[in-house]
Amino acid sequence: MRVPPEMFRFTTGERAELYVAILHAFGEANERLETALGLDDVRARLRSVGWLDPLDDEDLTGALGSLRDWRLLDVTQNHAENYRTADEYERRNLQYSLTKRGEAALAGVVHAMGVLASTGALQTAVLDAIADRLGELVAQLGDPGVPDRRIFSTLVELEGHLEALRGNTKQFNGELQRLLRAEGADQETFREVKSATVAYLQEFTTNLEQRAHAIANRVELVEARGVALLHHRALVGAELPPTSGGDPAVAWSELRRARWEGLRAWFLPVDGGTPRVRQLFVVARRAIIALLQVLDRITESRRRSTSAAADFRELARWFAVAPAEEDLHLLWSTAFGLGSARHAHLAHPDPELVGSSARWVDAPPVEVSALLRSAGRTERFSRTGRVRDVAAVKAARAESARAERAALKAAWDRLDTGGGMRLSQFGRLDHEVLERLLDLLGRALTAAPDRHGVHRATTGDGRVEILLGPPEAHRGQAVLRTPRGVFTGPDYDVEIRTPGGRAARRPQGAAGGAATG
Amino acid sequence: MSNLANQLVIAEREEVARAIRLLLATPLIGAGAAPEAFDLVRRRREPVEKWFDYYCGWSLIVEPRLGYARLAKVRVATDPTRPARRHRTGRAPFDRRRYTLLCVVAAELLGVPVTTVGLLADRVVQASAVDPVLPPFDTSSRAERMAFVDALRLLESVGAVDVVDGATESFVDSADAKVLYRVDATLLMRLLAAPVGASQVAVTPGRSHTDEVPLRFTELLTRLSRERRYGDADEPVSEVQRNLRLRHSVFRKLVDDPVVHRDDLTPSELAYLESPTGGQLLRRAADQAGLLVEERAEGVMLIDPDGVATDSRFPDDSGNAKVAALLLLDVITAGEGQVAVEQLRTEADALLGRFPRWAKGYRGEDGATRLVADALDVLRAFGLVRLDGGVVRARPAATRYAVTRTSADDVEDES
């Protein structure tokens, strides 16, 4: 699109308002079918379009001259009048009229102002109108009796509605995207606009599919009757005026074809692509979702943060007028609750010693560092004493673990039978060793016996194994003694094996040792 | 038979107790500032949450991903000695200007996810200008900028704003300083621990704040802390609510204050504490928190032998005032339990003579007066004395620091 140079020069510069007013005056005159204006006519018209500033002849002539230089106005000399004085001749001789370029420039400005002032809209009525006109065309094409003029006017109406659809949609989409981008200056109106837009879009998308489908159907019906026929009859009905530059019918038909393609692109693309109305649907749905999300966020943040912000503001006021210094700190602690607890750290070594009914004055005082009283500093025994010496604790734990393991090992060693023996042969045992033994016996007895009646079990770590045979019938009770008491039970045959067990050691010896030891 | 399980139980008990006390000392623990403490609270979150909820009715919110744990301490403060403090050497308490700015700044920050120090200052200027109660904020004054920075640094320290670029401190020198902040709006909102928002507590319409707030101040604090679960009226409606309210109000004092004398409690609170249930719960709560109970005829105190759940220690040598406080307390408890401030001044003079290396601040003409004032602040902060006109009275718990016969002899020997 190439705009002729200087076409819109008149819209800039300090005299732009005057230029626009003059062109506007010519436009108004043209509507009243006056095409040529003299100097005085221009002045009169200017007043009627609202130019009230004083304007001398010289300025007006200069402005007209500029417009003429930019080829927006033409000047002709009027010889048809009778001039009585030379002065009159000078004033009325020259007649100005709009050139084609001038008309276009004016139309451009008017359109621009219109776009700025207008808001786009999505109207289901327009879609219905398109469908209706298409339906009419189908009927009219099928009936040779219908005059071509009717077909022409229906086609023009159809194109008008399509144009409205395109223009409105374009503008509405622009506004929609701006709405999605904008982050609110005025949250309240912003929220209202958004929620209203959501409602509007929802309204529009309802039944959009059906309408689009109906239109596409009728487009097909028209085509079945022949678009060429349609255009031909419309051309005849159009009754084009003759012009100087060639046959207008060619350009006219070309334009009709382009418009028809536009219609198809919207509802029934030739190449089978996505119809634009379908994209409109997608855009609308996306916008609804986006807007709802934004609305959610706004309401959410409003509900939470505005009340919190209001709380902070109110607190600020309270702080500003609270009566005393101490009140400030009380308000701080109460509202924010960020302060520390406070406690004494010195305690009696044994708090149980003093009864709860004793008075403080009767109870012994806690031990305060004497050095603190005498020298103003503490030995820090209270503090360093409390800091845990991790190394020592670790060492102590390792030592106790080692001792525990050693005791365990000793117990196992003590129990290792080194072969089969009778339970009673253990005789005397340490209490801890007996506990181990009982643990093992318990494990063995809970395990199911094999077919020889032997119970077999291992400790949890699988390192110690016990085999427990049933006692022979004639045996008496096994009696085991420990420093803490006596254990009696059936005299099982026992074999206990430990890792690295004392296989060399004879079973009788072990038992005998235990019995005598 | 290993005692691993036992050791785990012991470790858990220790950790839970420590987490409780850490939260008592710092109700908002950030992962950035105190990673170990935060980790401990995060791991032991459940039992700790239960403990606070059951005994104190305080809710603990742990945000493992956002990296903070917030204990909402609800109570009407009665102790003015625990103010917000500036993040500077000396840790001076906030003044009126700083508190006011802190709130205005917090309100303005809520609206923006990211901001710079200059933009924020502009917003505070505007917000202060349109509010009839707030004093105007003047960025051209260095003192004002300093106060503004102190307020911001407090918010920084709790993690409500994050410095992305620059240093807040630079704003003190020039209002053109470039500092970029990221705002954590959720955390900002959680800074308010009171269950009722200040904006909900309407100051009577038509009367100006200037007139009304000072008159109703104590009532306003009470209304900020009103919790619905104890019943709406002043009298709780059911027995359950009554008990809940008593338990919570008693324990809030016990776990937060250095000593609770019997006359600090209402008759029903006292009855609750002295009931078998109350006594049992007290011991159990203390045990779970790793605190010791000291119960006497005149009151109760929970003692933290590790000094974790406290902002300050006494007796301690971390300052001349604390040492003086201990020595002056000896004087106060030695007599009838009450002594004139005038007399303490004489004692303070003697102390300054005895400790020639004490701070310069206490030298000079009214150094002794200042020393006495600071020392009395320490003692009041630990609930050990009461100041009544020109007379200082020891409270019963003060005698637990009295000089024993032997250590008194030691002192006499050495001095």
Side-chain angles (χ1 to χ4, degrees):
Chain A
M1 203 187 280
R2 194 168 178 285
V3 179
E6 309 215 302
M7 184 156 161
F8 289 107
R9 269 286 292 277
F10 71 100
T11 57
T12 55
E14 55 181 283
R15 302 178 76 185
E17 275 188 59
L18 177 60
Y19 296 143
V20 173
I22 290 173
L23 283 187
H24 194 185
F26 275 99
E28 293 273 293
N30 213 347
E31 273 178 29
R32 287 175 176 74
L33 307 178
E34 284 179 52
T35 47
L37 297 178
L39 204 58
D40 291 331
D41 301 326
V42 172
R43 196 182 283 282
R45 286 271 162 208
L46 271 178
R47 263 196 295 281
S48 77
V49 299
W51 179 271
L52 300 172
D53 293 359
L55 186 68
D56 58 33
D57 280 356
E58 203 177 319
D59 279 345
L60 184 56
T61 321
L64 290 168
S66 300
L67 289 169
R68 192 186 157 218
D69 291 345
W70 297 328
R71 299 171 61 192
L72 302 177
L73 287 182
D74 253 351
V75 186
T76 47
Q77 288 200 326
N78 188 354
H79 301 292
E81 297 255 354
N82 292 320
Y83 303 105
R84 278 163 300 187
T85 62
D87 184 43
E88 199 182 53
Y89 174 77
E90 278 191 354
R91 290 188 65 82
R92 300 182 57 187
N93 166 34
L94 295 180
Q95 296 257 318
Y96 298 86
S97 57
L98 276 180
T99 62
K100 192 158 192 167
R101 188 179 286 190
E103 272 175 49
L106 180 60
V109 170
V110 169
H111 185 70
M113 300 313 288
V115 169
L116 282 182
S118 74
T119 53
L122 300 172
Q123 288 139 342
T124 46
V126 175
L127 291 174
D128 288 342
I130 290 176
D132 289 351
R133 294 298 94 78
L134 281 167
E136 281 172 28
L137 281 178
V138 173
Q140 289 164 1
L141 285 173
D143 182 358
V146 174
D148 294 341
R149 293 171 184 200
R150 286 276 300 281
I151 294 190
F152 166 73
S153 66
T154 313
L155 183 62
V156 168
E157 269 183 60
L158 172 66
E159 287 181 355
H161 289 311
L162 182 64
E163 198 56 39
L165 176 68
R166 286 180 46 190
N168 282 336
T169 305
K170 201 163 59 193
Q171 283 186 5
F172 183 82
N173 190 42
E175 259 159 46
L176 190 61
Q177 303 312 322
R178 278 192 288 279
L179 188 64
L180 290 175
R181 272 197 308 272
E183 280 299 334
D186 177 2
Q187 291 271 322
E188 188 48 45
T189 39
F190 195 62
R191 201 175 66 88
E192 274 170 21
V193 168
K194 288 197 172 180
S195 51
T197 307
V198 169
Y200 183 82
L201 283 172
Q202 278 170 335
E203 179 77 29
F204 178 73
T205 46
T206 322
N207 297 332
L208 177 61
E209 298 250 36
Q210 282 102 306
R211 290 195 168 91
H213 188 66
I215 292 175
N217 266 345
R218 291 181 186 177
V219 167
E220 280 179 337
L221 285 176
V222 171
E223 297 206 326
R225 311 235 177 225
V227 182
L229 174 67
L230 167 69
H231 285 161
H232 176 73
R233 290 185 66 179
L235 177 60
V236 174
E239 290 163 6
L240 292 180
T243 56
S244 51
D247 185 3
V250 179
W252 191 89
S253 301
E254 193 55 43
L255 190 58
R256 298 286 85 71
R257 263 196 295 283
R259 292 266 162 92
W260 189 259
E261 270 165 29
L263 183 65
R264 292 204 57 147
W266 265 92
F267 297 99
L268 192 69
V270 192
D271 53 6
T274 319
R276 273 200 217 163
V277 71
R278 176 90 210 146
Q279 289 171 355
L280 178 62
F281 192 69
V282 172
V283 167
R285 221 169 32 190
R286 244 189 245 138
I288 289 174
I289 293 168
L291 285 173
L292 285 177
Q293 281 169 346
V294 175
L295 281 173
D296 261 8
R297 215 184 58 217
I298 291 177
T299 12
E300 178 73 353
S301 65
R302 267 157 47 95
R303 210 185 61 231
R304 299 224 326 268
S305 73
T306 58
S307 72
D311 291 343
F312 277 122
R313 290 208 180 89
E314 185 66 18
L315 280 176
R317 291 182 201 116
W318 294 8
F319 274 122
V321 296
E325 174 96 12
E326 294 206 336
D327 295 323
L328 298 173
H329 304 320
L330 292 181
L331 179 56
W332 156 256
S333 299
T334 306
F336 289 81
L338 280 169
S340 166
R342 184 173 292 148
H343 292 288
H345 62 287
L346 292 183
H348 290 286
D350 188 354
E352 307 280 313
L353 274 182
V354 189
S356 65
S357 57
R359 297 192 307 148
W360 253 304
V361 69
D362 297 329
V366 293
E367 199 178 311
V368 178
S369 154
L371 196 60
L372 182 59
R373 279 204 166 88
S374 61
R377 59 193 162 80
T378 75
E379 313 82 331
R380 304 213 164 268
F381 55 73
S382 56
R383 193 173 293 177
T384 45
R386 289 291 158 193
V387 174
R388 186 176 292 141
D389 187 343
V390 183
V393 170
K394 267 188 178 166
R397 281 195 189 146
E399 181 51 47
S400 80
R402 213 171 10 249
E404 207 171 286
R405 277 200 302 276
L408 204 56
K409 178 87 171 77
W412 293 132
D413 284 351
R414 180 78 187 74
L415 285 174
D416 191 340
T417 54
M421 63 182 269
R422 279 160 61 183
L423 189 59
S424 55
Q425 284 176 315
F426 278 114
R428 178 171 281 275
L429 289 170
D430 282 340
H431 182 75
E432 288 73 26
V433 180
L434 178 70
E435 277 188 351
R436 304 287 165 203
L437 178 62
L438 288 179
D439 181 36
L440 276 178
L441 288 175
R443 282 170 188 276
L445 287 171
T446 52
D450 61 15
R451 55 197 163 86
H452 303 294
V454 175
H455 300 268
R456 184 186 291 266
T458 59
T459 53
D461 57 8
R463 288 159 66 87
V464 180
E465 190 182 24
I466 180 169
L467 292 141
L468 200 63
E472 286 164 35
H474 63 274
R475 275 188 208 151
Q477 294 278 15
V479 179
L480 304 182
R481 290 170 196 283
T482 78
R484 296 203 203 167
V486 180
F487 167 85
T488 55
D491 199 3
Y492 288 101
D493 284 322
V494 188
E495 184 175 349
I496 296 172
R497 299 173 190 152
T498 63
R502 299 163 299 174
R505 200 170 138 186
R506 289 185 303 117
Q508 302 305 330
T516 53
Chain B
M1 284 193 268
S2 153
N3 59 356
L4 179 66
N6 294 337
Q7 284 178 4
L8 285 182
V9 171
I10 292 166
E12 174 173 353
R13 284 175 54 88
E14 277 176 3
E15 287 191 357
V16 169
R18 194 174 159 76
I20 290 172
R21 282 176 294 156
L22 282 171
L23 281 165
L24 281 175
T26 321
L28 180 58
I29 297 181
E36 281 169 35
F38 174 73
D39 193 51
L40 186 64
V41 173
R42 185 183 56 73
R43 274 188 287 125
R44 300 300 178 196
R45 163 189 185 164
E46 262 182 57
V48 175
E49 228 170 53
K50 275 191 196 139
W51 191 90
F52 279 116
D53 180 60
Y54 183 79
Y55 293 110
C56 306
W58 287 340
S59 69
L60 171 65
I61 295 158
V62 181
E63 294 280 9
R65 261 167 242 189
L66 303 178
Y68 63 85
R70 167 68 160 140
L71 174 68
K73 270 191 188 178
V74 181
R75 77 178 282 215
V76 181
T78 49
D79 174 15
T81 66
R82 288 176 251 184
R85 292 186 180 275
R86 302 177 203 178
H87 285 253
R88 302 185 179 281
T89 43
R91 311 219 6 105
F94 265 40
D95 54 8
R96 187 185 297 274
R97 191 68 190 122
R98 283 171 171 79
Y99 278 129
T100 313
L101 276 175
L102 175 74
C103 293
V104 180
V105 166
E108 293 310 315
L109 281 172
L110 273 174
V112 288
V114 172
T115 187
T116 67
V117 77
L119 289 173
L120 184 61
D122 286 347
R123 291 183 69 140
V124 173
V125 169
Q126 288 157 9
S128 308
V130 297
D131 197 300
V133 185
L134 299 177
F137 176 52
D138 177 12
T139 47
S140 64
S141 139
R142 187 184 158 85
E144 288 266 273
R145 292 203 302 272
M146 186 85 137
F148 179 72
V149 163
D150 281 339
L152 257 174
R153 286 187 56 182
L154 189 136
L155 291 174
E156 249 176 79
S157 73
V158 297
V161 293
D162 226 11
V163 181
V164 180
D165 181 41
T168 309
E169 199 57 41
S170 58
F171 189 73
V172 175
D173 296 323
S174 151
D176 298 328
K178 298 273 176 279
V179 192
L180 183 65
Y181 298 101
R182 193 175 299 123
V183 184
D184 185 338
T186 325
L187 183 51
L188 260 179
M189 284 182 242
R190 286 196 171 139
L191 290 187
L192 293 173
V196 178
S199 60
Q200 243 69 45
V201 183
V203 174
T204 323
R207 297 194 57 175
S208 76
H209 283 72
T210 328
D211 295 337
E212 188 163 0
V213 171
L215 280 179
R216 291 176 51 203
F217 198 76
T218 320
E219 186 212 330
L220 290 177
L221 292 189
T222 316
R223 292 187 57 183
L224 274 188
S225 314
R226 177 162 297 165
E227 288 166 278
R228 301 186 72 104
R229 60 172 152 174
Y230 305 133
D232 265 343
D234 287 327
E235 251 339 275
V237 284
S238 75
E239 186 66 16
V240 176
Q241 284 175 331
R242 202 184 97 88
N243 270 330
L244 196 65
R245 181 191 188 133
L246 282 176
R247 190 207 304 153
H248 290 170
S249 63
V250 167
F251 274 98
R252 284 173 188 183
K253 288 178 186 169
L254 282 168
V255 303
D256 219 27
D257 290 343
V259 56
V260 177
H261 285 100
R262 277 169 213 263
D263 54 9
D264 297 330
L265 298 167
T266 65
S268 51
E269 284 173 342
L270 190 58
Y272 180 85
L273 186 60
E274 281 174 345
S275 71
T277 327
Q280 219 173 5
L281 286 181
L282 172 63
R283 269 175 289 282
R284 204 166 76 199
D287 186 46
Q288 287 166 356
L291 298 165
L292 300 173
V293 183
E294 184 164 300
E295 212 177 345
R296 295 284 179 267
E298 307 97 324
V300 186
M301 60 196 289
L302 290 176
I303 300 156
D304 180 10
D306 303 321
V308 172
T310 186
D311 57 344
S312 160
R313 286 159 166 263
F314 179 83
D316 196 37
D317 60 355
S318 66
N320 305 144
K322 281 212 180 140
V323 179
L326 177 66
L327 295 172
L328 292 179
L329 187 65
D330 291 345
V331 178
I332 299 166
T333 51
E336 292 289 289
Q338 71 178 56
V339 87
V341 175
E342 205 47 50
Q343 196 187 334
L344 290 179
R345 245 167 246 153
T346 324
E347 294 288 335
D349 264 333
L351 287 179
L352 287 171
R354 206 175 121 196
F355 297 105
R357 297 174 62 186
W358 278 14
K360 283 209 185 76
Y362 297 123
R363 303 287 153 193
E365 264 182 29
D366 49 354
T369 312
R370 264 201 303 280
L371 182 59
V372 169
D374 289 352
L376 286 179
D377 278 347
V378 172
L379 294 176
R380 281 171 67 205
F382 278 88
L384 301 177
V385 300
R386 237 185 215 154
L387 201 55
D388 193 1
V391 178
V392 182
R393 286 173 212 279
R395 307 211 65 201
T399 49
R400 73 194 296 272
Y401 301 107
V403 193
T404 53
R405 183 70 61 202
T406 48
S407 63
D409 294 341
D410 289 347
V411 171
E412 277 160 17
D413 290 344
E414 285 175 30
S415 55

